[in-house]
Amino acid sequence: EGCNITLDGVTLNGGYYAMLVQGPQAKVEVKNHSTINAKYFTFSTNATGSDDGKPDWGYNATITLKDSKFIAEETGFMNNVPATVTIENCEFEGNHQAALLRGGKYTIKNSTFTLKATLPDSNSENKHFKKDGVTKWGEGNQCAFAGITIGNYGGNSYQYETTVDMTGVTVKVKDTYASAFPALHACANSAEGKGVTITYDNASSFSSSYSPAIEYGTTNIKVNSKDVTEVDGSYVVPTTE
């Protein structure tokens, strides 16, 4: 609890994981052109409950990532629980998600997120909603594959609010199955106070040959101060006349 670690100009080659934050109120900083590589996650917080039954492992961490790269075979960056995350001038890559933001508050500036779409949408861990209903998300990164995946969907323990503020962010999908995945996908818990809030500026871009490049799977999502609504079975942000 309350641990503090800084990686300054470090190259870290992990196995399945490179960095796993378990203690509550941890402070983690990665900066100065560090490069973090791993198979599953370069960076993750632990969503498992503690021995006394309280779900407090990894809670309320302060995470600062600057001028660095996070490259994984599956998910470049994953945060499961409430935390304060600041990201500036970083690059993220993964084949499931470049980043999975499941709970917490994020300030992201001048960073690039790339989904390497080398896996088909039939992959068993891709929990993307279908036209005949939403596929419930599983544990860890068993969620919708996208450049950035935000929020939560399903009757599981990830019942948190997620707030993401993006400035000058680039999110893109490339490679063989690019047409199967959006640049950004968001779902939200239905409970009040546990939804998703997203803001992004005009300098941010979201590109994919999948349409729409930005996709929502539920309501209880607010985007640039507008509520996502259901229209003819799809979830959209109302346009201003």
Side-chain angles (χ1 to χ4, degrees), residues 5-96:
I5 185 170
T6 298
L7 274 63
D8 184 347
V10 169
T11 297
L12 175 62
N13 295 313
Y16 290 135
Y17 314 101
M19 301 183 71
L20 177 61
V21 179
Q22 289 187 292
Q25 289 83 51
K27 293 183 179 180
V28 181
E29 183 176 18
V30 181
K31 63 181 182 179
N32 193 20
H33 307 291
S34 292
T35 299
I36 315 298
N37 300 286
K39 180 176 177 62
Y40 292 159
F41 322 115
T42 62
F43 191 106
S44 176
T45 50
N46 193 346
T48 306
S50 61
D51 293 337
D52 61 6
K54 297 179 181 179
D56 59 3
W57 287 12
Y59 269 45
N60 299 321
T62 300
I63 300 164
T64 304
L65 313 177
K66 293 185 177 182
D67 305 306
S68 296
K69 295 182 179 181
F70 301 82
I71 302 171
E73 290 184 30
E74 291 195 4
T75 302
F77 174 87
M78 180 171 73
N79 179 52
N80 290 306
V81 295
T84 300
V85 182
T86 302
I87 297 172
E88 292 186 30
N89 302 314
C90 288
E91 296 180 23
F92 300 84
E93 289 188 359
N95 288 287
H96 286 195

Side-chain angles (χ1 to χ4, degrees), residues 120-233:
D121 60 356
S122 59
N123 184 280
S124 62
E125 294 195 343
N126 176 34
K127 306 300 182 182
H128 181 267
F129 73 86
K130 308 301 180 184
K131 294 300 182 182
D132 58 352
V134 177
T135 299
K136 302 297 173 103
W137 291 5
E139 296 181 350
N141 65 351
Q142 297 179 53
C143 308
F145 289 6
I148 299 180
T149 301
I150 299 174
N152 184 54
Y153 193 90
N156 49 41
S157 59
Y158 303 95
Q159 297 290 314
Y160 313 117
E161 181 179 15
T162 309
T163 301
V164 183
D165 183 12
M166 294 177 279
T167 305
V169 167
T170 299
V171 187
K172 56 188 176 180
V173 182
K174 68 176 187 178
D175 293 325
T176 307
Y177 300 101
S179 62
F181 305 109
L184 185 151
H185 180 89
C187 285
N189 297 305
S190 58
E192 184 179 354
K194 295 183 179 179
V196 169
T197 301
I198 300 170
T199 57
Y200 59 87
D201 68 346
N202 291 333
S204 295
S205 65
F206 305 86
S207 61
S208 175
S209 51
Y210 179 94
S211 181
I214 300 178
E215 180 179 58
Y216 309 105
T218 66
T219 56
N220 205 20
I221 300 172
K222 188 180 290 290
V223 181
N224 290 340
S225 301
K226 295 181 180 179
D227 291 322
V228 168
T229 60
E230 185 176 0
V231 178
D232 297 329

